Amino acid sequence: AQKVTQAQTEISVVEKEDVTLDCVYETRDTTYYLFWYKQPPSGELVFLIRRNSFDEQNEISGRYSWNFQKSTSSFNFTITASQVVDSAVYFCALSEAHSGGSNYKLTFGKGTLLTVNP
Amino acid sequence: DTAVSQTPKYLVTQMGNDKSIKCEQNLGHDTMYWYKQDSKKFLKIMFSYNNKELIINETVPNRFSPKSPDKAHLNLHINSLELGDSAVYFCASSPKLYSSGANVLTFGAGSRLTVL
């Protein structure tokens, strides 16, 4: 069974601080995908990134960066120079091919509430 | 143009009633989903349809019945509502299997159901 653990329930930082959100996953599949989604106070779920299990290269997109390490089954997310607009719940998720390969199922972590204070 | 739209956005009803939530996507995706987000923000898949065929049914009570009249629509009907059904229900869609981005879900804005 697949599982995603986000041990940090809540994080509070002051604007311009860097912050890292941790994500640890469990899966028996050799092929899988990892995701981060953002849920701002308005409630919608916004896709941030997808990474497949064969690509361990770190990725940077503006102030966002992701560190994928298969050896520790972790896919951490860092926000550099945080801003108030980054305040949201951030979800890490894992996808394996559903049985028969006919579909994909996202298993979400419980989310980390990030509050960036001015 | 909203990519994945759900109606209604808010729904307040009494225990025992039957209600429906509708979802439509205009992205041309083949796969649609219902996820439930509880009061602690935990997101869990309920159902998934691939081109109108039920693919995933995650041990959801029989009171929940999804229906997909075509691949652009996925509705959720709930019978005999219970207090524990109060949650935000998210519809989502994703592209054709094995296509680029096949498992990248686009979510609707959510439908907040409150059962009194």
Side-chain angles (χ1 to χ4, degrees):
Chain A
Q2 53 190 18
K3 186 178 176 183
V4 176
T5 302
Q6 294 180 256
Q8 304 149 309
T9 308
E10 293 187 37
I11 300 176
S12 183
V13 300
V14 177
E15 216 171 9
K16 297 185 183 172
E17 282 186 31
D18 299 348
V19 57
T20 296
L21 309 181
D22 297 335
C23 173
V24 173
Y25 63 92
E26 294 175 31
T27 177
R28 283 181 288 191
D29 273 13
T30 53
T31 303
Y32 53 89
Y33 293 84
L34 294 162
F35 303 79
W36 278 93
Y37 278 83
K38 174 182 179 179
Q39 188 173 38
S42 50
E44 72 273 22
L45 284 156
V46 179
F47 166 77
L48 295 178
I49 189 171
R50 178 187 69 168
R51 176 56 54 127
N52 76 53
S53 52
F54 298 109
D55 182 3
E56 282 193 78
Q57 277 196 347
N58 291 333
E59 182 153 343
I60 298 174
S61 176
R63 296 184 297 107
Y64 295 171
S65 62
W66 290 269
N67 180 274
F68 176 27
Q69 293 198 340
K70 284 177 82 168
S71 60
T72 55
S73 297
S74 65
F75 186 45
N76 296 337
F77 173 30
T78 297
I79 302 174
T80 303
S82 59
Q83 299 176 1
V84 172
V85 293
D86 295 326
S87 297
V89 179
Y90 290 87
F91 292 96
C92 181
L94 169 69
S95 171
E96 302 168 343
H98 189 252
S99 59
S102 56
N103 218 331
Y104 292 99
K105 181 175 84 168
L106 276 184
T107 296
F108 284 86
K110 293 190 176 180
T112 297
L113 172 61
L114 173 65
T115 302
V116 181
N117 298 298
Chain B
D1 243 5
T2 305
V4 180
S5 57
Q6 301 178 224
T7 53
K9 190 168 172 62
Y10 299 98
L11 190 51
V12 180
T13 189
Q14 299 287 332
M15 256 177 33
N17 284 350
D18 303 339
K19 289 294 176 187
S20 292
I21 306 172
K22 296 188 175 184
C23 179
E24 175 181 4
Q25 54 96 1
N26 62 7
L27 297 167
H29 288 168
D30 278 21
T31 310
M32 295 186 74
Y33 309 78
W34 279 111
Y35 277 80
K36 178 181 179 180
Q37 185 173 45
D38 64 22
S39 57
K40 295 184 178 177
K41 297 282 191 180
F42 184 54
L43 274 158
K44 188 167 164 42
I45 191 168
M46 300 173 68
F47 302 103
S48 176
Y49 273 75
N50 188 42
N51 204 5
K52 301 193 297 176
E53 182 187 352
L54 180 64
I55 299 299
I56 298 174
N57 182 342
E58 286 286 299
T59 58
V60 177
N62 291 340
R63 299 181 295 103
F64 290 79
S65 52
K67 279 196 171 52
S68 182
D70 55 61
K71 73 175 191 178
H73 295 85
L74 179 61
N75 304 323
L76 182 65
H77 188 75
I78 315 169
N79 289 326
S80 304
L81 279 156
E82 300 177 357
L83 293 177
D85 298 332
S86 295
V88 179
Y89 293 85
F90 284 95
C91 178
S93 70
S94 62
K96 187 174 183 172
L97 194 66
Y98 303 125
S99 66
S100 169
N103 55 2
V104 176
L105 272 60
T106 300
F107 284 87
S111 297
R112 181 176 294 276
L113 171 65
T114 302
V115 182
L116 303 174

